[in-house]
Amino acid sequence: MDELAAATDSEKLESWRIRYFGSNGQLKELMNRLKDAPREQKPALGKRVNELKVGLEAKLADRKEALESTSNQVGMDLTEPGTVQGLGRRHPISSTMDGIVDVFRLMGFSVVDGPEVEDEWHNFTALNIPEGHPARERTDNFFMPLDGGVPRLLRTQTSTVQIRAMETMSLPLKVVAVGRVYRPDTHDATHYSMFHQIEGLSIDRGVSMADLKTTLIQFAHAYFGEEAEVRMRPSFFPFTEPSAEVDMKMHIKGQWQWVELGGCGMVDPSVLAAVGIDPEEWTGFAFGLGVERIAMRKHGISDIRWLFENDARFLRQFG
Ligand code: DAH
């Protein structure tokens, strides 16, 4: 029954049905001819026409059922060539963060986390940034709607996690935190309103600036290579005293170059006191580095916006 097999949709099947079962169909015609047949042949011929009719009806019903069941299987036509889906891969920011954290883990730091929506205590007050300080200006922060009367904002720095670690963990402690921070900057090749930092904090008895420098040098050697160098330039941050900017000399496209990576210093005694740690007994160092700075220099990416546009043609190059 090739004709029936060729009826690949309900419309074609219906015209097949009309051709055989319609009022001018072939079965009707056979019936008409039966009238003219010799009388003694009529019963036998009648029987054959009837068998034919029953057989055709069964075939029609089978074909109808087959068509209905395939039309329910949307998208299951296995004769289609199909499309090859590209596999995803780690985003360059994620793989950079993973690599940095791996090194600090080996150096005995544990990894901690904090919320991106923060209160003013953790983002400012406890970090020695008092009310009225310019860093608390509404235009320099993403403040959120009041939460039960309490102001909240998107954290501007991962230093918030230093405070949370000191509030909740026992001493001595050695932690790193990585994550997003937010600042209302106008987007250009080097600024974006969201970026990532890695924060480190070590609190113990007798921790000194020498421990800070050793830690940063060990990190630079492990992450960038044995020839990498670290430079600290005097600076100011409200939560460290003394404070310094950190530069690291990295190998970029065949050349060693100094890159500014962030800030560091000895935790200010007033920060320790704010979280109930006795600054006479404990001292600490802290640092905060920019993840994009590292990732962009490492991969030769000249525009920070490319990192967040999620254009597969850009992301495909890393992995
Ligand atoms: N939080 C600072 C910033 O975002 C960076 C920083 C400086 C972090 C000094 C520190 C530090 O832990 O000790 O600009």
Side-chain angles (χ1 to χ4, degrees), residues 221-234:
H221 286 175
Y223 191 74
F224 296 113
E226 279 304 314
E227 292 149 278
E229 289 178 52
V230 174
R231 182 165 77 182
M232 283 155 74
R233 290 174 288 119

Side-chain angles (χ1 to χ4, degrees), residues 127 156-159 162 181 183 195 197-200 237 239-240 243-244 262-267 285-289:
L127 287 164
T156 55
Q157 48 188 354
T158 46
S159 303
Q162 286 186 34
V181 298
R183 294 180 194 174
F195 54 98
Q197 290 185 329
I198 170 138
E199 193 82 17
F237 296 100
F239 35 89
T240 41
S243 304
C264 66
M266 298 304 294
V267 180
F285 68 72
F287 57 86
L289 311 177

Side-chain angles (χ1 to χ4, degrees), residues 7-16 67:
T8 47
D9 57 38
S10 55
E11 222 170 284
K12 287 188 187 131
L13 193 63
E14 178 61 7
S15 51
W16 183 91
L67 273 184

Side-chain angles (χ1 to χ4, degrees), residues 138 144-152:
R138 301 202 74 79
M144 316 278 289
L146 288 183
D147 181 3
V150 182
R152 305 243 175 226

